[in-house]
Amino acid sequence: MKHNGFLVSPDWCGLDEAGLRCELLAYFTKCFDRYESLFSCLSSEQAYLEKPITLRHPLIFYYGHTATFFVNKLLLAKLISERINPRFEAMFAVGVDEMSWDDLNDAHYDWPTVAEVKAYRDQVRACVTRIIQEAPFTPPMGWDNPWWAILMGIEHELIHLETSSVLIRQHRLEYVRPQLNWQPEPVSACVLEMAPINTLADVPAGLVLLGKGDPNQNACSVEGDARRYGWDNEYGRHEAEIPAFKASRLLVSNAEFMGFVEAGGYADARYWSEEGWGWREFTGVLHPTFWHHRAGGWTLRLMCEEVPMPWDWPVEVNYHEAAAFCAWKAEQTGQPVRLPSEDEWARLYDLAGISSDTPAQRHLAGGCSSVPVNRFSHGDFYDIVGNVWQWTCTPIYPFAGFEAHPLYDDFSIPTFDERHNLIKGGSWISCGNEALRASRYAFRRHFFQHAGFRYVVGAPPAPPVVSRYEDDALLAQYAEFHYGQSYFAVPNFPAAVAQIALEVNRGRPRRRALDIGCAVGRTSLELARGGFDSVVGVDFSARFINLADELIAQGLVRYALTDEGELQSFREIRLDQLGFADAASRVTFWQGDACNLKDVHRDYDLVVAANLIDRLYDPHKFLADIGQRMVAGGVLVITSPYTWLEEHTPRSQWLGGFKKGGERYSTLDALHELLAQDFVPMGAPRDLPFVIRETARKFQHSVAQVTCWERRG
């Protein structure tokens, strides 16, 4: 069955404003409609609420998540000024990549009904439509244009179109139902012995160029994928000379993989990495997860049904299974069989001369499933793109010149951990940016997508040259601010804040503390060391949270400080040397919005908000809400240098720093006024200086005012 498929991300160059609005609205509407139609494959309300797998949220989350993503990014881009549904936009904000700060405890979620989420999605649809039709637009469309947030929302939803289809495929059959718009390809009557035989073909040496260059360049001045939407990890530059190698003409089929299964490959640790064998032992699997052995023989689970095994379709496995097959194949053939690198896949792509018009099983242009591995030829090979994603041996890494996009700084950075491997080529459902040569998507090695693999024969590829030092300038500054040396005899500020909080908390319960605006986590760790049973650090920036979480998980963090120009000095901080080894187990870090915290953040004995209020978009809302998250008699500690700036806080939301009724009105005046209903001041305000190092000869020297407040009974 054929479908009206998606095109790749549009090339906006050459469109006038009216044409751009029309094209963008059509792209948004088609994406939004198709995403909603996917969820019609669920058979009941309970199907939305029960998790298909334990490591993901239930599908009700993903139904609401993509709409919430639009709202959050449009707020950051200042294309809207207020939320549509704050409760939903806290509940549906953060997805899952097994980040330790993400919460998957069902007790923390009171999921809404499907009808309520559908009504919310309708509101978001109307909001985005109105922006596209009416909001001011200043060309060109690019990385730093506020309208990039609209494209970001569309491409994000297309990612979840695919990942949600995988979760539906992993759901119990009773929870799904076939739908006309999601019919698979007819299964061929291919018996095991008649499946196509895979062979190797030579790939000549050559140069590979990757990366879209400078994200701030005018896209209309370049060629190729750089003219279209891209995620931040696609920008920068990478080039490599690729030695000659051999590659399998076909993707590995179910029939070819059956040889590994029948040989007992799943039960032989010799073929598996230590990580892969740990996964195999934990799950106990003996064959691919989508295979089932029934009384009548092998079957394959598709999205909404089981079908007799199509032996000529590509096998779909995770990275560990693919790598284990290659190790077995190497033993069988005596050749160095392995998975291809990202560079080698790009070499195959370039030799095949693929374009957006090349026939392939991708962007929903055909049936909603895989097809035989010998249907779409691309030069000497088949399925260089489309059918299923192809695992590579390359952990994702940043290209030289990488910058995190300011609207979505947690898209790529959490995956630069050498635990997420790149998949290339796209699958039958890969749309938009996913279908481009430049796309770089990576998943944990034990996760499943509509992904298979081809193998290559050749010497091991050179590992990517990746600095093991954190060289994000802002992250390095904050790592030094929290954990590095003191400057000009000014004490460590995060530690000093924690000391003040512990002093005013003396004689009170030390059960639960919240460090809101925790940055890279020093104050949180100090509070745990000071006796709190549980400390939660929350920050809006995933980059900050990622560094704090890495310090706890790995026990050390390295970073590069700018000394002068391009000169740097390198630092290392260790948890044990700082004296936090024992305290770390009582600290957890969450990404979150201080003005829209999740419901789970409640019943705190202590809340610390250090240098936070003058960086919030709605500090009034934060102050009105925070008392409800504390126990009676709890302590609130606020520090701030009161540096109000419109780039962070709209002028109408400043707490103080202006004249009111003709008189000077300070932030301290506002705090007394706004907190009076719920809090009693504890002593007089005090000043606390802090110094942030920018370079070896440039420092920020500021003074924060500290105020302490007791929650009324």
Side-chain angles (χ1 to χ4, degrees), residues 70-90:
F70 273 107
V71 173
N72 288 337
K73 301 314 174 190
L74 294 173
L75 276 167
L76 289 174
K78 297 182 171 55
L79 288 172
I80 58 176
S81 58
E82 58 184 36
R83 294 191 171 277
I84 293 175
N85 186 321
R87 174 172 169 256
F88 283 10
E89 285 144 19

Side-chain angles (χ1 to χ4, degrees), residues 296-315:
W298 286 100
T299 64
L300 181 68
R301 170 64 188 268
L302 304 183
M303 198 168 72
C304 295
E305 59 192 285
E306 273 188 27
V307 297
M309 179 63 73
W311 294 107
D312 55 351
W313 287 16
V315 70

Side-chain angles (χ1 to χ4, degrees), residues 5 13 86 115 121 123 187 207 292 312 369 383 387 443 484 512 517 632:
C13 301
R121 286 185 59 86
Q123 290 177 288
V187 175
L207 177 68
H292 297 283
D312 55 351
S369 69
D383 293 326
N387 215 351
F443 283 86
R512 287 166 49 80

